[in-house]
Every structure is written in structure tokens, then in C-alpha cells.
Amino acid sequence: MKKFSISSSPHLKSQDTTPGIMLELCITLIPLYGISFFYFGWSAIWMGIAAVLGSVLPEYLTNKSGLKDRSSILTGLLLALTLPPGFPLWMAFLGGFVSVSLGKLIWGGLGQNMFNPALVGRAFLQSAFPTAITTWANPEGWSNWVTGHNLAIPFLQGKALTGITGATPLSAWKFEHTSTNLNELLTGDVSGSLGETAAVLILLIGVYLYIRKIITWRIPITILLTTAVLVGVLHFIFPDRIPEIPLALFSGGLLFGTIYMATDPVSSPLAPGGQFVFGIGVAVLIVLIRYFGGLPEGVMYAILIMNAFTPLINRWIKIKPYGHK
Amino acid sequence: MKAPATFKHGIHPDDHKYLTKDREIERIPFSKNYLLPLQQHIGKPSIPVVKKGEYVKRGQLIAKADGFVSVALHAPVDGTIEKIERFKGPKGVEQEAISITTDLYSSQHIQTTPPPAYSELTFAEFIEHIQNAGIVGLGGAAFPSHVKFSIPKDKKCTVFMLNGCECEPYLTSDHRLMLEYAEETLEGMMILNHFLQAEQLYVAVEDNKPESIQKLIEVKNQKGYPIQIVPLKTKYPQGAEKMMITAILGQELPSGKLPIDLGVIVSNVGTSVAISQYFRSGTPLIERIVTITGESLIKPSNLLIPIGTPLREVIQYCGGEESQISHLILGGPMMGNVQKSLEVPVIKGTSGVLVKGVENVLDFQQYNCIRCGKCVEACPMFLNPAQLGTLGKKGFWEEMEEEHLFDCFECGSCSYVCPSGIPLVQTFRMAKEHLRRVKQKNSTPK
């Protein structure tokens, strides 16, 4: 007599899978790489490859099954987009390696980490190579095969090239008090990290990710609204220290960090209430660091600090179960 | 038109109802033998009143109720009692069952005497009648109907709802029943309400069954019944009692309370039809409508099946090939139970039989939880399945209880949506069972 298989219900399953979500996120980065290529040249592609090679290496060395979920590829792709165009490729590779090894694997792998892995990698690079990571290239078109120090040899001082460093909209505001044209900000024709310059494109991708239910609206909207309100009020009080709202929202890594990093489900709160708190926290920290601290940009540290608060927020703010009101 | 009422959260699985929704109910030919477990309902098993070798008539009492929370059982055919012995039932537990060999020369014409008109009965007599007719909730749980309708003295039923949501994918038996037995559905409700005296009467149907809704409204208008037919949004698990109450009344059923604490009684549409048929002809509950479905069947159908019919006959009738079956599920795909073999019978609580072919077996790889929150957005009870799952993986049962594990009614939405393929509801079931055993152990004196 034939015996049928035994399993516990449910016997239906949605089509969504974790590797599928990771792949889709990777695919949404293609337009950003495209526009980055358009403005900064081949460096965008080389940087992406270098960071991804670095990020999948620790998975390959430790546990090959970790490659299957594709999250390390995503980490590498994200990291490269947060780096300056003329960044040495070997440093990008190292950053990718640190992202996944220190940002994820030592915590216990996918889903176990406390901090966003790509930002852990970037924080490492920022403290290890502070000059390289703040050396910005101007957007000079796609025909450039290499930009800046891309080909620097590891651990040797790169030769200073003149005429290629430019000011980002944020540093221009912070150190020179000059504002950047809004059109340039929206289209991305400014200097900055590879993937964070084209505001309009990032916003469109954010909408797509929301419609596809890969990210929720709560964290990004809270960050953007809180930043807008804070900057609006502060600009009124300190007009020469705080820029106007559009410059604050559309410059630097704010949009990119908001859409791709702050929404990382692993390191952000689960409950809707907690997500609001997280978003407000990120926005307050961004404003504090950018306009009252020593650095021109604060998105990375703001998100990392709130990542640290996530377990606490999860503990404090819980979902109220049905029938317990 | 205003949007149909619903509850918050829930999921939208493909409903697969196209397989059988237009298949008219047909009667399956009589089987050569029947197997009738003595406990098909929640409560105490029935007590046999027949002996081995005895000839029984279709509709004759073969086992009587044992106490209040128990119901009677009747012969589904004219035939001979073959034996009364233990067998492994559909829930995997061994229990007593009566087997009957069909009298192949009988006309199988049912001879029953109709009960007195319900309007002449007292509430207590009415309750006794439906207990003796073996009527239980036909939605799946098979809770004795007379117990549900015996309202405690200090409570009053103000809202009476019939559940025709049928939110489980694949199943269409309630849909066909409402369409083809619309009069009986509403008549049963009016009979019940003669005793319940509720002020508001609702029949809730998910809006993916417009034909049923249309038909019920027609009959209601024709007869002038004071019943509201409420289309609800098609969303799983809309048919769960709590979700239905929330959708229709806009209020939550407090944790640990029964609907009657809010003055609400919810009953399945099939139960209402069974009651109406009993008062029309005196026929006790000896058959029910079951959806037999699955992509691998040649002829998926809605069948009127005598209780006790072996699944082998049913599957054969629908063109199923035993060697091609991978999973055999009693009930719907979201909450149904799998069966190991075709040797189990259709019982009173069988609303559907879903056959999964060997070619469409779910095979999913498990990944770590990425806390994407899809399960949180799905859980109709507003629990945090991700967190419960993490606790469960570590064996923190007591902590799970603190996180409201026992509010989970195991609808399976969390496991359905989980992109990492984590067996969430399966873990919760285990945790509940573990906690129950611990409590039982602690409460029994040494």
C-alpha cells in the first residue's frame, strides 16, 4: 500500500523567496549604476566589480551555502555606490570584504547582524582611509576609463592628481557656504558618491520597491519628513548655517541611505511604531552630524547608531495583538 | 459601490477555485462498505447501540450521544454491521469505528419520519432534536451544534451570523451549497433564530462568489426574511470566526472570550442546511457536500458523499491515480490535515479533499529570517511571528507564551508568506503542544 507524504499545513506557499528579494534589489541598482556610468565613466563598473568580489569572498571562504541567498552580492553592490568615483579599487575590494565578514558573518550570517553590512564596510573605509574617501571627482562623462586613484597600488600613497577633485554639494555648503543648483541635484550632475547623486532616480526606485512590498513606507517617509521639518525650522533660526530644505534632502547620501540602508529589515525595527521611532532618530542624527558636527555628511553614522538602538526599540514598542485592546 | 468590509492584515493566495466552482453538486454512487469513527466531533465519542451482524437501515441510529458534549451517529446506508473495532482515524489517533457492509440489493430509499414542526418545540426539545440528529458544525471543526446554540442563562444572542466565506483556497463546497441550497440555507437560519431570537441576522460571503451572493439575496427578498447578505472582501482568513466578527461588527473579540460574550453566534452555512433538511424530512446528518479537488485529478468535483465513504472510492470517482498522489489533504490547503493513505473515510468535518500530485510538490529551501516583516503584515491576530519563530527555534516555550502564542489560531498565513521558507506556524503548533503537556504534567498529582 502506498503511503503519502506527511507535512504540516499550510500546503500553499507564496512565490516570494529571500534570494528572489535580494536579486530584485540588485536589479533595482542597475539604473543607479547606469547613471553613475553616465556621469563618472567606467569607474562605476570597476568599483562595483571590486566591491562585489570583496563581499562574496568571505562567504566563499567560510560557508559556500551563504552565497545562495545572494545577500552578499547586494552588500557589495550597495557599498560601491556609497564610495567616491575615484576611489582606489583595492580599497573597495577590502571594504566589501570587511562589510560581509565583520558586518555579517561574525554575527552569525544573514539576518543575525545588528548593523547594516554595507555601512559597516563604509565606516571601516572612512576611518581607515579618510583622505581617499573624501576625495571627490567631478562628473566628467562616461568616456573615462579610469577616474582618480582607481588604480592605486595597495598600501602605497597614490600620486596626487590635480584638477580632478571637486566639492560635493554638502561640503560646498559646509565649508564654502555655496548652494548647489537644484536641477543638478535632482539629475545627479554633481560630484559625490557613485550612486547617491541622482535624486529623482533614487526616489523612483523607492516608489517601485514600495509597490513591490520590498520596503515599507514608514522608515523612508519618516526620515524625509522629519529632516524636512527640522531643517525648515532650523533654517529659519540659523539661515547661514542650515541650508534650505531641497538642498538638505537631495544632497549627499540621504536619499540613497534612506531607501536602501535604513530600510534594511535585518537592522531596523519590525513593529510599525518602532519604525517611526527609528526614522525620527535617523533624521535627528543626520541633522545634528551634518550641521552641528565636524563632518559634512552624517547619514551613515546616523543609520548605524539607530541600528544599535533597534533591539531596544523592538523591546519597547511591540505590536498590540488582536483582542488585547 | 462601497468597498466590502474586512479585517486588517491577512493574505491573498491564489484561490484555485476555478477547478470546481462551476461543478454542480452530484451524488457519489454508494460504496460497498463504510467506516464510521465514533468520534467525528469535538467531545466524547458516541456509544454504539448496534451489534456485529445486525442489519441497519439508512438513517437509523447506530451510536448514541455520550453526555451533553457528544452527538448521535447514524447509518449512511442499508447494510450489515461488519465489525466494531479500533482503527487509525483521520487525525492519526486510534479510535473505535463501526464498519458497515452495504446491502447491494436494497433500494437505499430513506425512511424517516419528520420531527414535529419546530414552532411547537421548546428550546430544550429543539436542542435534543439536533443532538439526536447528529448535527455538528460543518465548517471543519465539527463542534456539536446543540452545544453552540445552548446559550448560557446570563448571556443573550443579539447577532447571529452564518459563515459562507469559504476563504480556504481550492474549496467550493460552501459556494455550491449556497447556490444550490439557498432556500435551505436561509430557512435553517430562520429556524435557528426562532429559538435564538437574535436582532441582527447576517450571512457573510466573500465577494469572489457573486453567484452565491446573488442567489441568497434573491431568495431572501422572495421570502421576505429579515436577513442581511454581507459580501466580505476576499482575503484569507476571512472565514475565521474572529475575522468575520471584526469585519461585520467592527469590533474585536477580546482574547480568551467566546463570541457569545459579545452576544454573537457564528455558524457554518452547511450546518444551517443540515438543520433545515432535518426539520423538512427528518433526515439526520448522514451525508455532506465535499469538494474533491487538485490539479492532478481528471474530474475535480463537488460531491454529496455519505459519511463514512472511504477516500479510495472518492478519489477513484474523481479520476485520481493513487501512484500519482504525493499529498492527500483533508480540508483546505491552508489548515487541512494530511493523510497517509486512502484507507480513511470522509467524516462529518471533512469540507474538502485536496490531492497534490507528485509533480507539484512544494520544495523550498530554508534561509535565515531576514526580519522582512511579511509575517507581521500577514498575521490576522497582530502577533509577531518572526519573533515567535526565533524564540521557538531556541526552545523558549514560556517566552513564546508571554508573546501571546495561544492567541494564534494556526491559520498559516505567516508560513505562507515567509520568503525564507521558515515553518513558523508548524513551530507554534509544536510549542503549544509542548506547553499543554507541561501543564498537564504539573497539574496531575504525583
Side-chain angles (χ1 to χ4, degrees), chain B residues 112-130:
Chain B
T112 44
T113 39
Y118 67 88
S119 50
E120 288 163 19
L121 298 176
T122 64
F123 201 146
E125 285 167 343
F126 169 74
I127 290 296
E128 209 182 311
H129 270 281
I130 51 177

Side-chain angles (χ1 to χ4, degrees), chain B residues 284-295:
Chain B
L285 186 64
I286 54 167
E287 50 199 18
R288 67 158 299 152
I289 296 157
V290 187
T291 302
I292 317 296
T293 185
E295 280 81 359

Side-chain angles (χ1 to χ4, degrees), chain A residues 4 8 11 13 18 322-324, chain B residues 246 252 333 407 418 420 429:
Chain A
F4 307 134
S8 188
H11 308 286
K13 178 82 184 68
T18 296
Y322 176 101
H324 284 269
Chain B
T246 304
E252 289 188 4
D407 280 303
C418 181
S420 284
R429 240 176 245 140

Side-chain angles (χ1 to χ4, degrees), chain A residues 2 4-5 7-9 11 13-14 17-19 110-111 213 265-266 318-325, chain B residues 242 246 252-253 255 325-326 333 338 340 356 367-369 371 374 381-382 403-404 407 416 418-420 429:
Chain A
K2 186 186 148 96
F4 307 134
S5 309
S7 61
S8 188
S9 63
H11 308 286
K13 178 82 184 68
S14 77
T17 63
T18 296
L110 178 66
K213 294 194 175 170
V266 172
K318 292 189 171 174
I319 311 151
K320 215 158 185 74
Y322 176 101
H324 284 269
K325 300 201 166 111
Chain B
K242 286 177 179 160
T246 304
E252 289 188 4
L253 182 63
S255 176
I325 299 176
S326 135
V338 290
K340 252 199 229 158
K356 291 217 142 192
Y367 300 93
N368 285 350
C369 171
R371 283 186 272 169
K374 283 183 195 291
M381 295 305 288
F382 282 68
E403 296 297 331
H404 311 287
D407 280 303
Y416 173 84
C418 181
S420 284
R429 240 176 245 140

Side-chain angles (χ1 to χ4, degrees), chain A residues 82 122 126 133-134 136-138 166-182 184-185 189-193 196-197 227 231 240-258 283 285-302:
Chain A
T82 66
R122 193 184 195 278
Q126 173 126 24
I133 210 163
T134 46
W136 309 97
N138 282 325
T168 66
L170 278 173
S171 56
W173 172 265
K174 183 136 190 161
F175 304 121
E176 292 152 34
H177 286 281
T178 48
S179 210
T180 308
N181 180 314
L182 186 60
E184 288 176 358
L185 279 177
D189 193 8
V190 291
S191 68
S193 297
E196 53 185 48
T197 59
T227 311
V231 169
D240 45 306
R241 183 170 216 186
I242 313 288
E244 284 173 1
I245 295 172
L247 178 62
L249 286 187
F250 300 133
S251 63
L254 190 108
L255 284 178
F256 187 72
T258 298
L285 287 168
I286 289 174
V287 171
L288 281 178
I289 298 171
R290 270 190 184 176
Y291 307 115
F292 298 94
L295 295 168
E297 175 58 302
V299 173
M300 172 180 78
Y301 288 123

Side-chain angles (χ1 to χ4, degrees), chain B residues 2-239:
Chain B
K2 87 176 188 287
T6 189
F7 61 100
K8 285 186 191 142
H9 289 184
I11 56 172
H12 298 273
D14 282 346
D15 72 10
H16 300 272
K17 291 188 196 273
Y18 69 92
L19 285 167
T20 51
K21 80 181 174 63
D22 297 322
R23 296 266 190 181
E24 277 180 29
I25 298 168
E26 52 178 313
R27 176 179 285 282
I28 191 171
F30 285 99
S31 166
K32 277 193 197 125
N33 42 57
Y34 289 83
L35 186 62
L36 295 127
L38 290 175
Q39 190 180 19
Q40 306 186 16
H41 49 268
I42 291 174
K44 283 179 114 179
S46 321
I47 304 169
V49 294
V50 288
K51 286 200 190 64
K52 188 178 164 182
E54 195 175 324
Y55 189 83
V56 289
K57 299 287 284 177
R58 188 162 171 236
Q60 182 187 329
L61 184 78
I62 54 171
K64 63 176 188 200
D66 181 11
F68 185 63
V69 189
S70 180
V71 293
L73 187 61
H74 304 81
V77 281
D78 291 354
T80 318
I81 304 290
E82 178 74 19
K83 52 193 169 191
I84 303 174
E85 60 166 26
R86 298 184 76 76
F87 98 119
K88 202 159 208 173
K91 293 237 161 94
V93 186
E94 269 212 2
Q95 58 157 311
E96 294 258 295
I98 300 176
S99 54
I100 299 178
T101 310
T102 309
D103 176 0
L104 297 175
Y105 302 102
S106 157
S107 69
Q108 298 297 354
H109 182 71
I110 192 160
Q111 289 169 327
T112 44
T113 39
Y118 67 88
S119 50
E120 288 163 19
L121 298 176
T122 64
F123 201 146
E125 285 167 343
F126 169 74
I127 290 296
E128 209 182 311
H129 270 281
I130 51 177
Q131 182 178 20
N132 290 335
I135 294 171
V136 297
L138 295 179
F143 186 71
S145 296
H146 67 280
V147 181
K148 179 180 265 182
F149 296 120
S150 301
I151 306 164
K153 286 225 166 56
D154 54 329
K155 306 255 163 59
K156 168 141 182 40
C157 171
T158 50
V159 182
F160 178 33
M161 301 177 184
L162 282 191
N163 186 348
C165 290
E166 198 162 52
C167 60
E168 273 272 10
Y170 285 97
L171 302 190
T172 55
S173 53
D174 283 348
H175 163 61
R176 291 312 305 184
L177 175 118
M178 288 185 284
L179 199 56
E180 297 180 41
Y181 295 81
E183 279 185 29
E184 286 90 336
T185 307
L186 300 185
E187 190 181 273
M189 185 173 209
M190 295 312 292
I191 294 174
L192 280 162
N193 202 46
H194 173 77
F195 298 99
L196 295 174
Q197 294 291 318
E199 291 138 26
Q200 300 169 47
L201 301 176
Y202 300 101
V203 182
V205 188
E206 274 191 350
D207 62 0
N208 61 352
K209 297 180 261 295
E211 304 99 321
S212 310
I213 296 171
Q214 190 56 38
K215 181 79 189 179
L216 288 173
I217 290 175
E218 266 171 36
V219 171
K220 175 204 94 157
N221 289 342
Q222 195 189 335
K223 303 264 178 182
Y225 291 144
I227 299 173
Q228 262 176 282
I229 314 296
V230 197
L232 296 181
K233 190 175 168 188
T234 301
K235 186 164 79 171
Y236 181 85
Q238 183 67 74

Side-chain angles (χ1 to χ4, degrees), chain A residues 51-270:
Chain A
V52 170
L53 285 177
S55 67
V56 297
L57 183 63
E59 293 273 20
Y60 185 78
L61 293 177
T62 52
N63 176 10
K64 288 176 189 168
S65 70
L67 287 171
K68 276 195 209 150
D69 60 49
R70 302 188 182 123
S71 62
S72 298
I73 301 172
L74 178 65
T75 301
L77 288 175
L78 285 173
L79 174 70
L81 290 177
T82 66
L83 299 173
F87 200 63
L89 292 177
W90 74 271
M91 290 183 188
F93 175 83
L94 186 64
F97 189 87
V98 168
S99 288
V100 170
S101 54
L102 294 187
K104 195 173 79 179
L105 290 182
I106 58 162
W107 296 87
L110 178 66
Q112 305 294 309
N113 48 298
M114 192 162 179
F115 300 98
N116 180 292
L119 288 182
V120 169
R122 193 184 195 278
F124 164 79
L125 292 174
Q126 173 126 24
S127 40
F129 313 109
T131 319
I133 210 163
T134 46
T135 304
W136 309 97
N138 282 325
E140 287 181 341
W142 60 272
S143 55
N144 280 326
W145 281 95
V146 282
T147 310
H149 301 285
N150 273 170
L151 299 179
I153 301 160
F155 304 112
L156 289 180
Q157 191 71 43
K159 198 168 51 165
L161 298 172
T162 47
I164 55 136
T165 55
T168 66
L170 278 173
S171 56
W173 172 265
K174 183 136 190 161
F175 304 121
E176 292 152 34
H177 286 281
T178 48
S179 210
T180 308
N181 180 314
L182 186 60
N183 274 339
E184 288 176 358
L185 279 177
L186 290 175
T187 55
D189 193 8
V190 291
S191 68
S193 297
L194 285 167
E196 53 185 48
T197 59
V200 172
L201 193 59
I202 300 173
L203 281 177
L204 285 176
I205 295 172
V207 171
Y208 171 80
L209 290 174
Y210 169 69
I211 293 170
R212 291 283 298 124
K213 294 194 175 170
I214 293 174
I215 63 173
T216 64
W217 59 271
R218 293 184 199 93
I219 291 176
I221 297 292
T222 317
I223 294 178
L224 296 180
L225 275 183
T226 315
T227 311
V229 169
L230 279 177
V231 169
V233 171
L234 289 169
H235 175 73
F236 191 68
I237 305 170
F238 313 103
D240 45 306
R241 183 170 216 186
I242 313 288
E244 284 173 1
I245 295 172
L247 178 62
L249 286 187
F250 300 133
S251 63
L254 190 108
L255 284 178
F256 187 72
T258 298
I259 301 290
Y260 279 104
M261 312 288 195
T263 54
D264 171 16
V266 172
S267 49
S268 64
L270 254 176

Side-chain angles (χ1 to χ4, degrees), chain B residues 18-29 170 172 290-305 313-321 353-355:
Chain B
Y18 69 92
L19 285 167
T20 51
K21 80 181 174 63
D22 297 322
R23 296 266 190 181
E24 277 180 29
I25 298 168
E26 52 178 313
R27 176 179 285 282
I28 191 171
Y170 285 97
T172 55
V290 187
T291 302
I292 317 296
T293 185
E295 280 81 359
S296 64
L297 293 179
I298 292 168
K299 189 185 157 215
S301 318
N302 296 297
L303 300 179
L304 183 59
I305 303 179
E313 303 269 330
V314 176
I315 297 301
Q316 262 166 15
Y317 184 77
C318 295
E321 181 65 52
V353 180
L354 171 59
V355 175

